[in-house]
Amino acid sequence: MSDMNFSDIRNQIEEWIHPDYIDPEDIPAIELYMEQITTFMDKQLDGNKRNTEDKILTKTMINNYSKNDLLPPSDKKKYSKDHIILLIYIYYLKNFLSINDIHHLLAPMTDNYFQAESGKTMSSIYADLFSLEQDYGDRVRESIQEIYDIARQQFDDSDDYLKTFAMIVMLSHDIYTKKQLVEKLIDSLPKESSKKSEKKDAKRKSKESK
């Protein structure tokens, strides 16, 4: 156990579970080079780092995402606002989903809304989701506070380690259950058509041969 008492955790929860998000209005509308995107992401999401030396996004990551068809090709080494939105989604999803799952989830988004000029666009979808996440965040914080109270009451006569351990186990169960649900929902999404899949496979092989 660190020098923080279990009772101190309650006061820290509010701060700890306020991750940095990127406001829709802060996403550049102009095209950016790769280095500009990594700088932008690192600055905007700096508060999400566990360690100061961690990197939010690197050039290698972007290249790998493109190689695995998570990210459409750049236009003369410049990336659009829609590229940045996809990178934001990937940043969060890669923490608990496989590359294949992320590809399956984002492929319809890329196919139907990437650089759309009318109707639903990636920008409008991101803005709607951002608003929902802000509202939902309040309920998440309340549920975590409830888990803290349950752990404290159940192990009231125990040391701080057991209380913290109990809280971690309950949170982990919550994460595991939701991760399973997310995977089932992804599995329920339509598979890519064979022609579209073959076309992407040919493009991927062409890239690898260069």
Side-chain angles (χ1 to χ4, degrees):
M1 189 76 180
S2 70
D3 57 358
M4 178 176 288
N5 296 322
F6 187 74
S7 59
D8 297 327
I9 291 176
R10 185 180 185 90
N11 299 324
Q12 291 293 322
I13 287 176
E14 190 69 19
E15 177 183 344
W16 287 344
I17 58 176
H18 265 291
D20 282 350
Y21 293 97
I22 299 181
D23 192 292
E25 297 179 358
D26 291 335
I27 302 176
I30 60 173
E31 293 183 326
L32 301 178
Y33 287 106
M34 190 182 293
E35 187 172 342
Q36 292 174 307
I37 291 180
T38 58
T39 300
F40 169 77
M41 293 280 284
D42 199 66
K43 180 181 179 181
Q44 291 289 322
L45 300 175
D46 182 68
N48 294 348
K49 295 179 181 178
R50 185 174 183 179
N51 303 297
T52 55
E53 65 272 15
D54 292 344
K55 295 292 184 182
I56 298 295
L57 185 67
T58 66
K59 294 180 180 180
T60 300
M61 290 179 190
I62 295 177
N63 286 329
N64 285 337
Y65 299 153
S66 297
K67 185 177 180 181
N68 286 282
D69 286 327
L70 300 183
L71 195 70
S74 62
D75 181 13
K76 298 178 181 178
K77 297 185 178 181
K78 286 187 175 182
Y79 295 83
S80 67
K81 183 176 183 178
D82 283 3
H83 280 107
I84 298 174
I85 290 173
L86 284 173
L87 286 169
I88 295 171
Y89 290 144
I90 294 169
Y91 166 75
Y92 289 107
L93 294 170
K94 71 184 179 68
N95 288 287
F96 60 95
L97 290 178
S98 67
I99 291 296
N100 285 338
D101 278 342
I102 297 174
H103 177 269
H104 189 185
L105 178 61
L106 292 182
M109 176 71 69
T110 303
D111 292 339
N112 298 315
Y113 304 107
F114 185 79
Q115 295 183 342
E117 297 180 356
S118 61
K120 281 287 186 183
T121 65
M122 287 192 60
S123 292
S124 66
I125 294 169
Y126 181 83
D128 288 343
L129 288 175
F130 181 83
S131 178
L132 288 174
E133 288 169 355
Q134 301 308 299
D135 293 338
Y136 182 65
D138 292 335
R139 281 180 279 173
V140 171
R141 284 185 281 277
E142 290 173 3
S143 69
I144 293 175
Q145 292 285 4
E146 182 180 4
I147 288 175
Y148 169 90
D149 291 336
I150 293 171
R152 178 180 55 80
Q153 294 168 10
Q154 185 67 32
F155 293 90
D156 190 42
D157 296 330
S158 303
D159 59 25
D160 285 351
Y161 165 76
L162 282 182
K163 295 173 188 174
T164 305
F165 183 76
M167 188 175 180
I168 290 170
V169 169
M170 285 189 288
L171 287 169
S172 298
H173 177 76
D174 184 66
I175 293 168
Y176 178 73
T177 303
K178 289 177 179 177
K179 180 176 182 290
Q180 283 193 312
L181 176 58
V182 167
E183 290 172 346
K184 295 297 183 183
L185 290 171
I186 290 174
D187 292 341
S188 73
L189 293 173
K191 301 291 184 181
E192 287 184 284
S193 67
S194 58
K195 288 186 177 180
K196 187 178 293 184
S197 180
E198 289 172 4
K199 186 176 180 180
K200 287 189 175 182
D201 286 341
K203 184 188 293 185
R204 185 186 297 112
K205 290 178 181 178
S206 177
K207 289 180 182 177
E208 292 174 351
S209 64
K210 291 181 181 179

